[in-house]
Amino acid sequence: MTKLSFTERRKSDLEKLKILAAKTPELFERRIFDEDADLLESIGISIPGKKEMPKVLLKIFPSDFIVEEITPDGRICTATEKSDGFFDMDNANFVHATVVKCGMSTYDVVNELARILKCPIDKIQYAGIKDKWAITSQRISIPLSIIEGNDIVLQNIEHPQFFLKDIVKGKGVVQPGFLQGNRFTILLRNENLTKEEKEEIKNNLELRAEKGMANFFYLQRFRAPRYTNYHWATLVLKGDYKAAVKLFLTETTGREMAYFETLREAAGIVFDDPQKLHKIFGEYPSFFETEAQLTEYLATHPKDFLGALKAIETQVQMWIYSLTSYYFNKKISSFLASNMLPPKTLPVVLSTDKNDLLPYIEMLEEDEIFPQPTQNLRHFRSIQMKHREVKTFEKVNLDIVEATKEGIRLRFSLGKGQYATTYLAHAVTLANNIERNHEEEKAIVPSEYEEVLKRFTETNRARGTESLLATDSE
């Protein structure tokens, strides 16, 4: 039997869920929450004055959040129609191109290109993942042999959500991390901000650009929408694999769609029956891909909870790394709370060097994982125990910050691996519950992006307040 693609599975899942939503629409309403002080504190981030910061809306339109990759030699891959001056190289073995996309994930673009070119997905390489609900640009590489043996002309590929430009012959593959950073052009919306609030935001952004931003690991690290993967990691580290599996499958936070939370509650009731457990999550594999994979293993290997976790080892690896991020965040927060400047770097807590644990001993003891029972991680080959230092503060190159009728417009650059939302969190609360005038909302971009905005007119639509199913299917 041919395995369905993710797109096919998602379509099937949506059809089933929409039937249920017609009967109980209240279980499928979008749950709205702000990235406020309480949510950030749950992942270890405490920023002085956070509770009083003005609220703004981010990414109402994809064009409110423009991300442009900066190559290792400092060249900006612009999200415009214009060429950025890339040129062919001698003895080339790859084709390099800039992908400009709107409202589409990097994964989806690569999958679509692979389908068009009839080549394996892993033949199309890129330096990093770019935001989905945004307009973004980044370099990709494709083996020259695939292009030369194909009737498809890259320049002629037409798609409503992306296009290719600066297509040249180049040397080598664009590898993960092969970038200097990203430039962000962002509109923070709230027409009700006072003049004083706008000035406060502007001053805080300028201050953090001058002094540097606390280099927190932001929400993206903790797996939306529950943001609790470090809870499961703690149990894995303690060697309580059954409890880790159960919490992963059943934990609710009030941030998932209500219907999905009822499924997790049902999973808690039938947890000791692996067949029933798998039936719950296997019913919607595109929404519960990892859960379905784990419970499928348990259905044929009852009570082998370690084996079930090894079946999703890539995810377990991310859980463990999120735990180290949580402790790193808490440590920086403790310095800020005491009005003390932290050291330039802090070690990552997951290390074979016992000295790396010293800054975190009190927290580890409180969570009953000191001394660290790292022997429980040896079953997972991908989890590396090594010394690594991370900067506690990062430089921000702020180019523009100005008040507008809509709110605040700014442009800044960050190094690779840095989160734009971490910088913004030092000055505003990223909110979802601000009253909006949907009829008067419109996409507004600096003049250099107006042509690309016309190209993406159909996909650059305002984010709505409808059900998750309506948004997902668009």
Side-chain angles (χ1 to χ4, degrees):
M1 184 176 178
T2 303
K3 185 177 180 180
L4 296 178
S5 69
F6 176 83
T7 301
E8 291 169 330
R9 282 181 280 137
R10 178 54 60 92
K11 182 179 179 181
S12 174
D13 290 352
L14 285 171
E15 288 173 352
K16 289 181 286 187
L17 289 168
K18 284 179 178 178
I19 294 172
L20 296 174
K23 299 176 182 177
T24 54
E26 67 277 6
L27 293 180
F28 295 85
E29 293 175 354
R30 178 183 295 278
R31 285 187 162 176
I32 296 175
F33 55 90
D34 295 342
E35 296 176 16
D36 58 15
D38 291 338
L39 177 57
L40 296 188
E41 285 174 7
S42 75
I43 60 167
I45 297 177
S46 295
I47 299 174
K50 183 65 183 175
K51 291 185 178 180
E52 291 75 41
M53 288 182 181
K55 292 185 176 183
V56 298
L57 295 164
L58 181 64
K59 297 185 179 181
I60 292 300
F61 291 86
S63 56
D64 289 350
F65 199 84
I66 299 173
V67 188
E68 298 167 304
E69 189 169 273
I70 305 173
T71 64
D73 62 1
R75 183 179 306 189
I76 297 174
C77 303
T78 61
T80 68
E81 301 272 2
K82 295 181 179 179
S83 169
D84 297 316
F86 290 90
F87 55 86
D88 288 334
M89 301 180 69
D90 294 332
N91 303 315
N93 55 353
F94 283 85
V95 169
H96 292 177
T98 295
V99 173
V100 182
K101 62 182 181 65
C102 175
M104 193 174 188
S105 72
T106 301
Y107 291 124
D108 289 342
V109 171
V110 169
N111 284 338
E112 182 65 6
L113 284 173
R115 184 191 65 80
I116 293 170
L117 297 173
K118 297 181 174 63
C119 73
I121 294 173
D122 61 5
K123 293 297 182 182
I124 303 173
Q125 294 290 307
Y126 46 90
I129 301 297
K130 296 293 186 282
D131 299 76
K132 177 178 180 178
W133 197 259
I135 292 179
T136 74
S137 56
Q138 64 188 119
R139 295 297 277 174
I140 63 169
S141 65
I142 307 169
L144 184 59
S145 58
I146 289 176
I147 303 302
E148 291 179 337
N150 208 303
D151 293 333
I152 302 297
V153 178
L154 290 179
Q155 290 89 336
N156 294 340
I157 292 176
E158 293 188 3
H159 193 280
Q161 290 181 272
F162 73 87
F163 65 90
L164 302 177
K165 71 171 192 174
D166 284 325
I167 303 167
V168 299
K169 294 179 180 179
K171 290 183 179 179
V173 66
V174 176
Q175 297 178 338
F178 193 68
L179 74 163
Q180 188 180 108
N182 295 286
R183 184 174 74 172
F184 300 87
T185 303
I186 293 174
L187 177 60
L188 303 174
R189 292 178 182 261
N190 184 351
E191 293 188 359
N192 296 319
L193 288 174
T194 65
K195 181 179 179 180
E196 291 74 23
E197 286 175 324
K198 289 180 179 179
E199 191 64 23
E200 175 189 344
I201 294 171
K202 183 173 179 288
N203 290 341
N204 280 335
L205 290 169
E206 289 175 338
L207 178 65
R208 292 278 57 92
E210 178 186 349
K211 303 291 186 181
M213 69 173 187
N215 191 26
F216 292 118
F217 290 96
Y218 206 67
L219 290 165
Q220 297 94 320
R221 188 79 163 188
F222 297 89
R223 189 67 184 269
R226 290 189 286 175
Y227 303 118
T228 54
N229 55 2
Y230 66 95
H231 293 172
W232 321 325
T234 302
L235 293 169
V236 172
L237 185 56
K238 290 180 178 180
D240 194 344
Y241 305 125
K242 179 179 179 179
V245 167
K246 185 170 186 178
L247 192 63
F248 165 56
L249 295 176
T250 65
E251 186 173 22
T252 59
T253 61
R255 290 188 287 270
E256 279 186 299
M257 188 167 66
Y259 178 69
F260 287 167
E261 294 205 332
T262 66
L263 295 182
R264 295 198 184 280
E265 290 166 0
I269 296 171
V270 302
F271 181 74
D272 292 322
D273 187 330
Q275 298 294 333
K276 291 182 179 179
L277 196 61
H278 180 55
K279 186 176 180 180
I280 290 173
F281 295 110
E283 184 71 15
Y284 306 107
S286 74
F287 287 96
F288 296 108
E289 186 171 13
T290 306
E291 290 89 340
Q293 189 177 354
L294 183 149
T295 54
E296 182 179 26
Y297 179 91
L298 281 179
T300 54
H301 303 80
K303 299 185 180 180
D304 182 8
F305 298 104
L306 173 58
L309 290 170
K310 290 174 70 175
I312 58 164
E313 182 166 335
T314 300
Q315 289 300 315
V316 174
Q317 179 190 37
M318 295 306 299
W319 300 354
I320 295 297
Y321 292 163
S322 75
L323 181 62
T324 67
S325 302
Y326 170 72
Y327 287 125
F328 182 87
N329 285 350
K330 287 195 72 174
K331 192 62 185 178
I332 295 182
S333 295
S334 69
F335 282 105
L336 297 182
S338 302
N339 201 26
M340 295 172 59
L341 192 66
K344 289 185 178 180
T345 64
L346 280 171
V348 172
V349 71
L350 192 66
S351 172
T352 54
D353 187 339
K354 293 182 179 179
N355 291 326
D356 290 349
L357 304 183
L358 296 178
Y360 307 100
I361 287 179
E362 186 175 333
M363 289 182 277
L364 295 172
E365 287 180 335
E366 184 178 339
D367 292 338
E368 299 179 348
I369 48 177
F370 184 84
Q372 277 191 319
T374 53
Q375 69 275 7
N376 296 319
L377 300 180
R378 291 173 185 167
H379 305 286
F380 307 96
R381 294 184 178 182
S382 63
I383 298 175
Q384 299 180 1
M385 303 277 294
K386 62 181 181 180
H387 172 77
R388 187 165 73 92
E389 297 278 340
V390 179
K391 291 182 180 179
T392 56
F393 272 71
E394 278 287 354
K395 181 180 179 181
V396 179
N397 293 314
L398 180 62
D399 298 321
I400 300 169
V401 55
E402 58 187 9
T404 70
K405 174 180 176 295
E406 295 74 26
I408 298 288
R409 168 81 66 188
L410 68 158
R411 169 178 280 176
F412 58 93
S413 298
L414 296 174
K416 64 181 178 182
Q418 309 308 316
Y419 301 112
T421 42
T422 299
Y423 174 47
L424 299 176
H426 286 75
V428 296
T429 291
L430 300 177
N432 286 297
N433 62 356
I434 297 174
E435 186 175 343
R436 294 164 53 190
N437 187 336
H438 294 266
E439 293 182 359
E440 294 188 7
E441 285 178 342
K442 60 181 180 178
I444 301 172
V445 294
S447 58
E448 66 208 82
Y449 302 108
E450 288 177 353
E451 288 302 313
V452 83
L453 191 62
K454 292 177 183 177
R455 177 188 282 265
F456 291 136
T457 299
E458 291 301 314
T459 52
N460 187 54
R461 293 174 289 172
R463 186 187 294 278
T465 57
E466 61 280 292
S467 77
L468 174 68
L469 302 184
T471 301
D472 196 283
S473 62
E474 291 177 350

